[in-house]
Amino acid sequence: MEVVFQMKQKLSMFIMVLALLLIVVPVSAQQVSTVDAYDTTGQFLVNKAPNPSFGDEWIILALTRGEYNVPKGYYDKYYENVTKHVQSVKGNLHNRKYTEYSRLIIALTAIGKDPTNVGGFNLVEKLSDFDKVVWQGTNGAFFALIALDTWGFELPKKATTTREKLIQHILSKQLPDGGWNLSGVKADPDMTAMAIQALSTYKDRADVKASINKALDTLNNLQGANGSYQSWGTTNLESVAQVITALSSLNIDANKDQRFQKLFTSFFTFYNVKDGGFKHVLTESVSNGMATEQASYTLAAYNRLIESKTKLYDTSDKKTNKPSTPAQPNHPKAPPTKVSFKDIESHWAKSDIEAAVAKGLLKGYDDNTFRPNNNLSRIQAVSILVRALNLTSSENAPFTDISSYNDETKQEIAAAYEANLLVRSEKFAPSSPILRKELAVMLANAYTYKTGRPYIPTNVAPLNDIAELSKESQQAITFLYDFDIAQGANGSFHPTNFITRAHAAKMYINFLKVVEE
């Protein structure tokens, strides 16, 4: 009896000691909420990248989509560093890895910056070449589709990349077992989850829906008993994170779906309470930077789901925040004391180019070139006229292909539309090069706006290649001819040629001479 009593006494003391230990031991990883875990990963990432720059895109995505309270000026610092890098490489981030462009587009839209104009370079148009986009493999198509869908970007008509082509490419690469992989015939959980994320915007399409459902069954079957996943033979955090992110993109709560209820249990086994980050594999003693990046944006994706916010890669909620291009004044800039570019010294339009730049109508590049033979885009043509004529807008333009542009640009298009400078149509095609006949009509309409009366010529200009054009185009070209704004060459106007920057400079300067007299 005494022995039994001693044993009970010892057992009682053990239970008391255990209870005391449970009180003082930090909360276990599995008990951390997704909100609290996100806060610690946010601090981990800020500490990791105190001066964020190109290459830190996933950190930026994780911080901004989870709405982490970053230090003041943090995103501005990132954008400044990115702009410097983009300019230093002249807009060419990589000759082969086009996911570099997609990744940067995603990050920039997430902080409300327009990737169509980063230091004067359009990163979105880099995705126009389909063969280059998919050179890396299917993941190239995944991220290109995600990047285009962030703000609903439209590529130029001449682009070989289209959304439909990307979708069909992804669907065609689905393996017989229902998943995706970079190589081989067996599904990889990471690649399968990323495919779902890319396709999630189109989940209601019959073909996409069937593909996603098959992929979800595959991910369910690939799970370990505790909700873990293996990639390349290794049980790791990133695979679990990608699956949770994929489910969130489909509005599926991993904690409530019976097929995936163990995911967060597995996810939090990689959480490192000591430093607030996540390990790549359980054998690591400290958190892994790359694993923490993915865990952090996964937490952001999940928290956005339960808070009924737009999904991780749908950054449309940031479109109106701080346009990447500085606000333009409503009048031309004050003339600089001297304008000179190294590539126009012997150019026929040298004086017109210098005059246009002095008036603030056109600008040169950071390498002291003007690039006179580059084509002028439709939005550039509009912006120049809007600034030159001090146009403003009171409502939005009805074009269906300008939603991805920043507010400044949309206001300029709207101002030109209200002034009746633009042809009424469904689309504006802002990034497309402008034709000579199109600029002629725009300038003729601007003359009508400025003077209050249209120019009705007595005779059509004696140019041998305009007879088949519309009456509007003929009259507009005749307006340019009669007022010596543009005479053509050798009896031809070449109406369907693109306008170069040099010709644009000459035409705008001559036009202003007419309307300012």
Side-chain angles (χ1 to χ4, degrees):
M1 291 291 294
E2 185 176 350
V3 173
V4 173
F5 175 76
Q6 288 177 346
M7 288 179 66
K8 286 183 177 180
Q9 193 175 38
K10 289 180 179 178
L11 179 60
S12 177
M13 290 178 65
F14 173 77
I15 292 173
M16 290 177 62
V17 170
L18 180 60
L20 289 172
L21 285 172
L22 288 174
I23 292 173
V24 298
V25 169
V27 177
S28 67
Q30 290 84 347
Q31 291 175 298
V32 178
S33 73
T34 57
V35 174
D36 290 339
Y38 175 77
D39 286 340
T40 65
T41 58
Q43 187 59 56
F44 183 101
L45 296 180
V46 169
N47 291 342
K48 179 186 176 186
N51 182 31
S53 57
F54 177 70
D56 292 326
E57 284 67 49
W58 299 130
I59 291 178
I60 295 299
L61 179 75
L63 293 173
T64 186
R65 298 310 281 160
E67 300 174 5
Y68 185 77
N69 187 23
V70 297
K72 185 177 180 180
Y74 190 82
Y75 296 134
D76 291 335
K77 186 186 301 181
Y78 167 72
Y79 184 67
E80 180 183 350
N81 289 337
V82 163
T83 300
K84 288 179 180 177
H85 176 76
V86 170
Q87 290 177 328
S88 71
V89 296
K90 295 181 172 58
N92 298 312
L93 301 180
H94 202 283
N95 290 330
R96 302 293 273 171
K97 292 172 58 180
Y98 271 56
T99 50
E100 298 284 283
Y101 298 104
S102 298
R103 186 185 73 229
L104 187 51
I105 290 167
I106 292 168
L108 290 175
T109 60
I111 60 172
K113 300 296 186 181
D114 184 1
T116 66
N117 184 359
V118 182
F121 295 95
N122 188 334
L123 302 181
V124 175
E125 287 192 350
K126 291 291 187 177
L127 301 180
S128 296
D129 190 321
F130 181 77
D131 290 337
K132 291 180 178 179
V133 165
V134 300
W135 175 82
Q136 285 175 264
T138 316
N139 61 325
F142 296 163
F143 286 108
L145 187 58
I146 289 172
L148 291 176
D149 286 342
T150 53
W151 280 8
F153 293 107
E154 294 292 340
L155 292 172
K157 290 182 179 179
K158 62 182 179 180
T160 56
T161 301
T162 65
R163 280 179 172 77
E164 186 60 30
K165 201 169 180 179
L166 291 170
I167 292 170
Q168 292 303 327
H169 180 80
I170 295 170
L171 294 179
S172 71
K173 296 298 181 180
Q174 189 167 22
L175 299 169
D177 66 4
W180 281 264
N181 205 333
L182 272 175
S183 60
V185 295
K186 291 187 177 181
D188 175 77
D190 296 56
M191 290 291 289
T192 303
M194 286 191 288
I196 291 174
Q197 293 168 44
L199 294 172
S200 62
T201 301
Y202 310 91
K203 63 182 180 180
D204 294 328
R205 278 179 43 161
D207 54 347
V208 174
K209 184 176 182 179
S211 176
I212 289 176
N213 287 337
K214 189 176 180 181
L216 289 175
D217 289 340
T218 300
L219 289 176
N220 182 31
N221 295 331
L222 287 175
Q223 283 185 93
N226 65 342
S228 63
Y229 283 97
Q230 285 192 356
S231 182
W232 297 90
T234 303
T235 301
N236 66 93
L237 174 280
E238 292 91 324
S239 295
V240 182
Q242 289 298 336
V243 174
I244 295 173
T245 303
L247 294 174
S248 298
S249 73
L250 297 173
N251 294 322
I252 296 175
D253 187 332
N255 269 328
K256 296 180 179 179
D257 190 292
Q258 291 185 348
R259 296 168 297 178
F260 300 103
Q261 283 181 330
K262 294 181 179 180
L263 282 185
F264 271 112
T265 299
S266 175
F267 180 82
F268 277 115
T269 60
F270 296 90
Y271 182 65
N272 188 2
V273 178
K274 292 181 180 179
D275 59 20
F278 279 76
K279 304 173 184 178
H280 165 58
V281 293
L282 293 175
T283 54
E284 290 179 328
S285 58
V286 296
S287 294
N288 178 285
M290 187 175 296
T292 303
E293 290 175 19
Q294 292 195 36
S296 189
Y297 70 65
T298 291
L299 291 167
Y302 180 75
N303 290 338
R304 293 185 71 83
L305 169 66
I306 61 179
E307 293 169 9
S308 300
K309 297 179 179 179
T310 56
K311 63 182 180 179
L312 180 71
Y313 292 121
D314 177 4
T315 57
S316 59
D317 55 310
K318 291 288 187 177
K319 283 172 69 173
T320 58
N321 290 9
K322 298 180 182 178
S324 63
T325 51
Q328 296 286 350
N330 288 327
H331 52 78
K333 297 177 182 178
T337 56
K338 184 180 180 180
V339 178
S340 178
F341 301 102
K342 61 185 180 183
D343 59 345
I344 66 168
E345 285 305 311
S346 58
H347 198 278
W348 62 266
K350 181 177 185 292
S351 61
D352 292 315
I353 290 170
E354 291 176 341
V357 172
K359 282 182 171 289
L361 302 179
L362 291 160
K363 295 189 297 183
Y365 294 85
D366 289 343
D367 61 355
N368 195 34
T369 63
F370 182 78
R371 305 176 194 178
N373 297 323
N374 283 11
N375 293 329
L376 192 75
S377 71
R378 290 171 59 79
I379 183 54
Q380 290 169 339
V382 164
S383 296
I384 293 169
L385 266 183
V386 167
R387 293 196 299 270
L389 300 178
N390 298 327
L391 302 181
T392 58
S393 61
S394 58
E395 54 188 39
N396 297 327
F399 300 114
T400 60
D401 58 348
I402 64 173
S403 61
S404 62
Y405 287 80
N406 63 51
D407 283 353
E408 170 77 19
T409 300
K410 286 189 286 189
Q411 287 169 7
E412 289 181 338
I413 296 173
Y417 184 87
E418 284 187 36
N420 292 316
L421 307 189
L422 309 179
V423 175
R424 265 49 178 167
S425 62
E426 182 182 358
K427 295 186 176 182
F428 177 61
S431 298
S432 299
I434 190 166
L435 303 178
R436 289 173 60 82
K437 65 178 182 179
E438 291 174 334
L439 184 56
V441 171
M442 197 181 295
L443 289 173
N445 290 340
Y447 175 85
T448 300
Y449 172 84
K450 187 70 174 176
T451 63
R453 62 184 186 278
Y455 177 70
I456 308 297
T458 304
N459 298 299
V460 176
L463 297 166
N464 59 30
D465 56 354
I466 68 171
E468 300 300 318
L469 301 180
S470 68
K471 182 178 179 180
E472 181 185 41
S473 293
Q474 288 185 34
Q475 290 188 345
I477 293 169
T478 301
F479 161 71
L480 299 185
Y481 184 89
D482 288 351
F483 282 87
D484 203 22
I485 295 171
Q487 293 284 304
N490 300 319
S492 300
F493 186 76
H494 304 292
T496 57
N497 285 2
F498 296 136
I499 286 284
T500 65
R501 284 166 55 83
H503 281 104
K506 179 179 179 63
M507 291 169 70
Y508 281 116
I509 287 298
N510 289 342
F511 170 79
L512 289 180
K513 289 177 182 177
V514 172
V515 298
E516 290 177 351
E517 287 179 353

